[in-house]
Amino acid sequence: MASSIIISDTQPWKDLKAHVEDIKKTHLRDLLTDDKRCQSMFLEFDDILLDYSRQQATLETIQKLLKLAEAASLKDKINRMYSGEHINSTENRSVLHVALRASRDAVIESDGKNVVPEVWKVLDNIQEFSERVRNGSWVGATGKALKDVVAIGIGGSFLGPLFVHTALQTDPEAIESARGRQLRFLANVDPIDVARNITGLNPETTLVVVVSKTFTTAETMLNARTLREWISSALGPSAVAKHMVAVSTNLKLVEQFGIDPNNAFAFWDWVGGRYSVCSAVGVLPLSLQYGFSVIEKFLSGASSIDQHFYSQPFESNIPVSAPFQIFYTFELYCTCGSLLVQACASGFVEHMECFISWISCQSECLFDLFPSEIFNRPSYLIVKLWRSWPPTFNRQVSMESNGKGVSIDGVPLPFEAGEIDFGEPGTNGQHSFYQLIHQGRVIPCDFIGVVKSQQPVFLKGEVVSNHDELMSNYFAQPDALAYGKTADQLQKENVSPHLIPHKTFSGNRPSLSLLLPSLNAYNIGQLLAIYEHRIAVEGFIWGINSFDQWGVELGKSLATQVRKQLNASRTKQEPVQGFNFSTTTMLNRYLQASSDIPADLPTSLPKI
């Protein structure tokens, strides 16, 4: 396949690598004395404040990053995405998740057709349906109102909606709208997850939403058949039509499953799974739980960032300016009540992201632009101070999007793209990985804080409120990482000489800080969109396709072979064959140890 230029072959990339050698000679504690420099590294939009002054960067660095963005044709790639061109070239698709939250009068075309009216047609159907369920106009098979929802999906059909749900669970407006209702998500095919999801629920008052574009996803459909059996065994097969709805494009299989096609809500092939939370995938279950008016605010927040990302120059563009992560390939996430830590390792320089525990990989700051090899640091950390944004969603969007080994033209990359994400909620991170980031590996960090807590706590006699205590960590940790503590300082504090090496902190560990006004539905939408666009920026700079996920398929296809073998061995006593020695040995042990499972499986549901 003909190759376009690889970004690491460009002069701006080479200039950056040379420039970094000079930056390494200057400690962050010195860079932070330059107030003019620091002031230039603050960005603000709609009460969101981004500070990347603790990156190992100068004003010259920023200009070189802008040159790199120009060399990568970043603006042109953003324009092509918004204009509906098939930038997902391996699947020949547009990438238009921005259309999912566009205003009614917007014009966003795919293949010459404005898709916004179709989007709003589905949104209007969701609003009408969710209001009927919530006000009791739509009832179950026995005439009881449906107050509980189980959403079945996997990947983006699960992690995105779960992220929004988790964040809204402590928002006062959302709490009031959801009073008396439950929303649960079933993704893992593990029967324990099935048990956890249906425990305490009554089939008479439960609505199941099955989310699968093709209605063929193995894990999703097995879970769907399991809950169909749970409903029909209690209420009869005809109850399925009243207790199960679908988000799918395959109406034929929806109907064969037993769901009325009129109760199937559409989405489109220009919506990637991990970018689909603003489609019926997320909006339907979330509207059933919180009401459409709350979720519409979430969509408006995302749309505000979409417009900002598209219209603002790069110097003042938060999704473009936040991703210094292009410099790293390893990403670590930790949520601290309001603080999330994420580390990113990608073969790019140092910077990173934070929001939703910030999703990005390789150094995110003003520009997702540096290869780790530039700073030669393999990890990135993001610290998010609130617990209400699960880092699993960021991990998926980041690693599934940018975990690629070839360019968009199929040429092997001479650098590493993508990152590894992991994390821990709340200030627990200080006792799990802060030791590593302060005195071990250099892991660039993103810190995300919130001005106002959703659930403030004040105790008489305390020096500060609980949220102030949390935010104290938000403000302190970036400086601790940047400045460190020298042996001279410890000597002046009369620290015993033999302890000085153990208590010395090198500092010079970069981070960026994002401060949000709150975590209401609107701000949650903004965070989501910031992450989505940051990931896109990284992919555009690296020259990869952030919108396909072929790496997900290989394991699935091999699992199909194993599934056939397990069935043949259990039902026909056929020997295990066609696998390597290791897999054959493990399969035989598994089959022997689970020989009590009957060949002709009877229906058996969890009994918690």
Side-chain angles (χ1 to χ4, degrees), residues 385-403:
L385 251 57
W386 62 86
R387 189 185 177 97
S388 49
W389 169 284
T392 47
F393 172 69
N394 306 25
R395 296 176 200 158
Q396 187 217 4
V397 178
S398 178
M399 294 194 287
E400 191 167 274
S401 294
N402 289 342

Side-chain angles (χ1 to χ4, degrees), residues 452-559:
K452 294 183 179 180
S453 172
Q454 294 173 309
Q455 299 293 325
V457 173
F458 305 96
L459 299 179
K460 185 176 181 179
E462 292 290 339
V463 177
V464 294
S465 69
N466 291 42
H467 187 65
D468 280 349
E469 179 65 30
L470 178 66
M471 292 300 291
S472 295
N473 288 276
Y474 169 83
F475 293 113
Q477 290 292 348
D479 279 344
L481 288 165
Y483 289 97
K485 198 161 191 176
T486 66
D488 288 343
Q489 289 175 306
L490 293 167
Q491 287 174 350
K492 291 176 181 178
E493 295 175 2
N494 296 318
V495 173
S496 299
H498 76 283
L499 289 178
I500 287 178
H502 302 282
K503 291 191 172 185
T504 297
F505 295 81
S506 65
N508 209 32
R509 294 166 186 246
S511 67
L512 65 82
S513 299
L514 187 76
L515 187 62
L516 306 172
S518 66
L519 256 193
N520 57 27
Y522 182 82
N523 297 136
I524 293 166
Q526 290 181 307
L527 278 177
L528 175 92
I530 288 172
Y531 268 109
E532 289 178 339
H533 295 317
R534 285 176 69 160
I535 299 256
V537 168
E538 292 173 355
F540 289 153
I541 296 295
W542 285 323
I544 61 178
N545 185 356
S546 299
F547 308 106
D548 64 9
Q549 59 283 328
W550 298 106
V552 176
E553 304 303 322
L554 179 58
K556 287 186 175 182
S557 63
L558 293 177

Side-chain angles (χ1 to χ4, degrees), residues 127-139 145-146 181 288:
Q127 180 177 17
E128 187 270 339
F129 177 75
S130 60
E131 287 179 354
R132 288 177 63 197
V133 172
R134 288 170 56 83
N135 66 26
S137 298
W138 176 291
V139 295
L146 303 177
R181 307 193 65 83
L288 287 165

Side-chain angles (χ1 to χ4, degrees), residues 222-409:
L222 179 55
N223 279 335
R225 291 191 294 273
T226 302
L227 262 63
R228 180 180 62 185
E229 181 62 29
W230 177 67
I231 290 170
S232 60
S233 63
L235 307 175
S238 62
V240 171
K242 297 293 289 182
H243 289 264
M244 299 188 80
V245 297
V247 176
S248 179
T249 57
N250 194 332
L251 297 184
K252 180 179 179 180
L253 289 185
V254 167
E255 185 172 20
Q256 290 178 4
F257 184 88
I259 295 175
D260 186 341
N262 293 319
N263 299 328
F265 299 85
F267 60 117
W268 306 271
D269 64 5
W270 42 259
V271 181
R274 57 194 174 277
Y275 300 98
S276 65
V277 63
C278 294
S279 72
V281 167
V283 174
L284 176 58
L286 292 166
S287 293
L288 287 165
Q289 176 70 5
Y290 297 106
F292 186 81
S293 62
V294 171
I295 305 309
E296 192 169 17
K297 293 176 183 176
F298 161 73
L299 297 175
S300 296
S303 181
S304 74
I305 295 297
D306 293 341
Q307 296 171 52
H308 168 80
F309 177 56
Y310 184 66
S311 62
Q312 286 297 305
F314 291 163
E315 295 89 338
S316 56
N317 193 312
I318 287 179
V320 174
S321 300
F324 265 89
Q325 284 171 293
I326 279 201
F327 303 123
Y328 307 86
T329 332
F330 172 81
E331 177 175 72
L332 158 71
Y333 281 100
C334 150
T335 38
C336 301
S338 257
L339 190 119
L340 162 63
V341 189
Q342 158 179 329
C344 194
S346 96
F348 280 66
V349 155
E350 48 190 35
H351 299 67
M352 171 182 153
E353 88 156 13
C354 180
F355 157 39
I356 279 180
S357 300
W358 288 94
I359 284 176
S360 336
C361 124
Q362 284 81 353
S363 68
E364 297 187 51
C365 204
L366 195 137
F367 319 57
D368 264 317
L369 327 171
F370 277 149
S372 273
E373 43 189 78
I374 293 184
F375 266 110
N376 193 27
R377 291 184 183 157
S379 20
Y380 203 96
L381 167 71
I382 286 189
V383 181
K384 170 186 141 214
L385 251 57
W386 62 86
R387 189 185 177 97
S388 49
W389 169 284
T392 47
F393 172 69
N394 306 25
R395 296 176 200 158
Q396 187 217 4
V397 178
S398 178
M399 294 194 287
E400 191 167 274
S401 294
N402 289 342
K404 306 295 171 60
V406 299
S407 74
I408 197 166
D409 297 312

